[in-house]
Amino acid sequence: MGTAPAGGASPEEASTAAALAFHDLVHRRRDVRGEFTGAPIAAEVLTRVLAAAHAAPSVGLTQPWDFIRVTDERTRRAFHAHVQHERAVFAATLSGPRAERFARIRIDGVLSSSLSLVVTYDADRGGPVVLGRHAIADAGLYSVCLAVENLWLAATAAGLGVGWVSFYREEFVRELLGIPAGVRPVAWLCVGPVTHLETQPDLERAGWARRRPLADVVHEERWGGHVETTCSQSVARGSSPMVGADWHQPVPAAPSAIPTDQE
C-alpha cells in the first residue's frame, strides 16, 4: 500500500485505467466462429486462462467444474460431424427468410481453432449437502457458467478467441469424452489465436437478431418499474457508463458476408 504504480500514475488514475480496460474487454469479447488461425497456444497462456476460470465464485465453494482439453484430430472431427448433423436438424425447422439467414451463419470453429476446452458440471461435488443450494438447485450450474465467463474474458485479454458450440447432445459428448454418468458437459469451447475480433456479433451481422437496448431490460424495484438514474441517458442508448461509448450497433440493412459452416 502507498507505492506509486509503474509509470508514475496515481492509484486513482491506475484504478480508472484498469476499470476502462475491463469495460473495453467486456465489450470486445465475441463468440468466435470464422476468425481462428489455428496457431498454437503457449502453455503458460493456457494455464493463465484456466486459472482465471478456476478462480470463479461457486456456490458453497464447491468448484463443481472440470476442464477437458481436446486436441485429438479424430475426436474433433467426430464432434464436428455431430454438430453438423444437429445443424441440419435445426435447419429443418426453419423456412423462408429465417432459413436463408441461417444458411449463411457459421455455428462452430471446431476444426479451425487451436484446441477445444470442454467445461463440465459435477452436481455431487461438495455434497451431499451444499451450502447455498438447498433452495436453488441450479446454483451449481450457474457457478460453472461463471467459470466459463472468466475463461472467456481471460482468453480475450490474452488475444485469443473463444467460440461456444451449442449444437450437440450431452449424451454424445459424454460418450465421446468418457465423462462419468453423473457429470454434465456444459460448454464445448473452441479456443485459439484469431486474425481479429468482429466489432459486431455474427448473429447481428447476419440479421438473425437485434441487440436489445439496456433500458429495455432494467426495472426499478419491481417488474416494469420505470428507471430513473443519473446515468439514464447511457441506459437509454445501451452504452457503458464507464466507457461512455455507444456499444449498441443496429443490424445493417444488407448484412456483410458471414463465414459459412464449412471448415
Side-chain angles (χ1 to χ4, degrees), residues 132 172 189:
F172 178 87
L189 306 175

Side-chain angles (χ1 to χ4, degrees), residues 31-179:
D31 197 358
V32 177
R33 297 291 184 261
E35 294 75 39
F36 290 111
T37 68
I41 304 172
E44 62 272 18
V45 172
L46 183 59
T47 297
R48 209 160 50 236
V49 168
L50 289 173
H54 193 54
S58 61
V59 64
L61 197 57
T62 52
Q63 296 180 297
W65 48 70
D66 284 273
F67 307 98
I68 306 174
R69 178 173 174 265
V70 181
T71 59
D72 182 76
E73 184 74 12
R74 289 176 299 178
T75 300
R76 294 166 74 182
R77 288 196 175 278
F79 178 68
H80 180 258
H82 173 70
V83 168
Q84 295 308 306
H85 169 75
E86 291 300 328
R87 177 193 174 93
V89 171
F90 179 71
T93 68
L94 305 174
S95 61
R98 203 70 165 163
E100 294 173 7
R101 289 192 186 99
F102 181 66
R104 298 195 299 266
I105 296 173
R106 182 171 184 162
I107 62 170
D108 76 273
V110 176
L111 301 182
S112 56
S113 59
S114 305
L115 54 85
S116 292
L117 291 172
V118 179
V119 189
T120 63
Y121 168 49
D122 184 353
D124 292 333
R125 189 165 297 168
V129 178
V130 174
L131 188 155
R133 204 178 68 184
H134 75 286
I136 303 176
D138 287 336
L141 187 61
Y142 304 158
S143 300
V144 174
C145 292
L146 290 172
V148 171
E149 179 71 358
N150 271 19
L151 186 156
W152 213 328
L153 292 176
T156 304
L160 304 176
V162 176
W164 188 331
V165 184
S166 56
F167 280 73
Y168 68 83
R169 304 289 175 173
E170 290 187 16
E171 297 80 8
F172 178 87
V173 173
R174 183 177 289 112
E175 182 177 351
L176 181 67
L177 302 182
I179 299 172

Side-chain angles (χ1 to χ4, degrees), residues 188-261:
W188 187 297
L189 306 175
C190 304
V191 185
V194 291
T195 57
H196 65 286
L197 292 176
E198 293 288 352
T199 57
Q200 267 189 313
D202 284 356
L203 295 187
E204 280 191 298
R205 293 190 298 119
W208 182 264
R210 187 181 296 276
R211 201 182 308 193
R212 291 182 177 88
L214 177 58
D216 288 0
V217 297
V218 178
H219 307 259
E220 185 73 19
E221 301 294 352
R222 58 189 294 117
W223 190 272
H226 181 65
V227 178
E228 290 288 352
T229 69
T230 56
C231 61
S232 59
Q233 289 185 343
S234 292
V235 171
R237 69 174 185 267
S239 66
S240 165
M242 284 297 304
V243 179
D246 191 347
W247 292 99
H248 174 65
Q249 301 182 37
V251 178
S256 55
I258 304 300
T260 68
D261 64 310

